Amino acid sequence: MRYRALFPATMVLLAGAVLDPAAGHADNRRLNESVVANVYTVQHQAGCTNDVSINPQLQAAAQRHTNDVLNNRDLDGDIGSDGSTPQSRAEATGFSGAVAETVAIHPAVAITGVDLINQWYYNPASFAIMSNCSNNQIGVWSENSLDRTVVVAVYGQSPQPPANAPSAGARPPLSAAEPVNAPLSPSPDYDGTDEVEYFFNWLPWILRGVYPPPANPPR
């Protein structure tokens, strides 16, 4: 059995993307940040030299559509119940650049990293959005109910580069003068529970004789 070569074993989604409804938004935040971290990895594997940044405006647009999809079962894509599009929702928050979106819907209270990867990484249209170097801004939101989990990522392109932009590959300094972009942790909120979750994700595959498991190729 062969799989497309994914990013290294540091894949955060596989280790830390199981939502615990009792934990509420704390775990959702970890999932949201892990999505950003993995988009960063996908882009750099595609040869991008810029670092994708969390944008609060795009995050607000993602939150709006996440809640809409969660509460309207007939929605299954980018179009909102009011007819809005990813672009119009982003513009409503004040973002003026080009926008794209990926949506994951899972019929359960939680979504695992493997579920999310299968929906986005192996979907050509979603993968093209994730790996597009021009998408240098991102906002991610997720919500879950007893029988439905929704994750929305909104990707944006800066209308113009920031003043005094650093050279390619350099990480721009964080400052109070640039409140739009939030810092990205490559391993958000990582703790010992991630190792336990990784083990239980890994176990079914190794019992089937599949090694490495999907999304975790050998180094």
Side-chain angles (χ1 to χ4, degrees):
M1 186 178 296
R2 299 179 61 188
Y3 299 94
R4 175 194 266 178
L6 276 177
F7 14 108
T10 53
M11 182 72 183
V12 182
L13 280 177
L14 187 61
V18 179
L19 297 181
D20 177 1
H25 288 284
D27 277 358
N28 283 40
R29 181 173 179 269
R30 182 171 66 177
L31 172 63
N32 300 344
E33 290 183 349
S34 69
V35 172
V36 179
N38 285 299
V39 170
Y40 171 95
T41 303
V42 168
Q43 290 190 350
H44 278 252
Q45 284 203 334
C48 306
T49 56
N50 58 286
D51 292 348
V52 64
S53 300
I54 298 173
N55 185 293
Q57 295 170 321
L58 298 182
Q59 193 171 50
Q63 181 179 8
R64 171 183 167 182
H65 193 52
T66 298
N67 289 324
D68 196 15
V69 174
L70 184 71
N71 296 308
N72 292 278
R73 302 305 178 96
D74 56 331
L75 299 181
D76 60 359
D78 293 335
I79 305 301
S81 60
D82 58 355
S84 62
T85 65
Q87 189 69 49
S88 66
R89 289 189 293 270
E91 290 174 352
T93 69
F95 188 84
S96 58
V99 166
E101 183 179 83
T102 53
V103 179
I105 303 172
H106 189 60
V109 70
I111 188 168
T112 68
V114 172
D115 293 327
L116 198 52
I117 291 168
N118 286 340
Q119 291 195 42
W120 288 355
Y121 193 85
Y122 292 113
N123 179 290
S126 296
F127 181 78
I129 293 172
M130 292 172 63
S131 59
N132 185 344
C133 301
S134 297
N135 292 331
N136 56 10
Q137 307 286 299
I138 191 171
V140 181
W141 199 264
S142 58
E143 294 284 352
N144 53 298
S145 63
L146 290 177
D147 63 346
R148 190 171 174 88
T149 298
V150 178
V151 184
V152 175
V154 180
Y155 310 78
Q157 301 177 15
S158 296
Q160 59 185 12
N164 301 320
S167 59
R171 186 177 298 277
L174 298 173
S175 69
E178 299 173 327
V180 173
N181 295 336
L184 168 65
S185 168
S187 299
D189 295 333
Y190 185 85
D191 58 33
T193 62
D194 295 286
E195 296 292 342
V196 176
E197 291 171 354
Y198 172 80
F199 171 79
F200 284 107
N201 281 325
W202 167 85
L203 184 60
W205 293 102
I206 200 65
L207 291 178
R208 296 178 201 173
V210 178
Y211 187 84
N216 186 27
R219 296 179 182 177

